[in-house]
Amino acid sequence: YPEQLYEHFKECGEVKRVCIKIDKFSGERLGHAYVDFADEPQAEIAKALDGSEFLGRTIKVDKKKSMKGKGDENGKGWGMGMGRSVVR
């Protein structure tokens, strides 16, 4: 289902990576994923897909919140300057 997420979000911009969160004990999906885009404006465009249908479910799309004390002094988080959206 990473491929389906890629297809769902590719019109927002260049999708660099899709990361589906998995429970490390059960191996089951946790119900959310991260979609990394080439840059921040593309991640902002992806927020327009909030409330869209994906595989028969209505999804929630948010910008990933940076964790305090992590990343650089500008609060951009770790990574390579990519925009990131959270899909739930």
Side-chain angles (χ1 to χ4, degrees), residues 66-86:
S66 62
M67 296 172 58
K68 269 198 178 277
K70 304 269 185 185
D72 64 20
E73 65 278 359
N74 296 322
K76 292 185 179 175
W78 291 332
M80 301 167 57
M82 297 180 283
R84 179 173 264 192
S85 290
V86 180

Side-chain angles (χ1 to χ4, degrees), residues 3 9-10 13 17 25-26 30-32 35-36 38-39 42 45 50 53 55 62 64 68 72-76 79 82:
E3 295 82 14
F9 284 94
K10 73 179 183 182
R17 180 175 72 142
F25 299 108
S26 69
L30 293 175
H32 65 277
V35 179
D36 290 338
D39 58 39
Q42 295 172 352
I45 292 168
D50 184 34
E53 187 174 315
L55 299 178
D62 285 318
K64 182 183 181 293
K68 269 198 178 277
D72 64 20
E73 65 278 359
N74 296 322
K76 292 185 179 175
M82 297 180 283

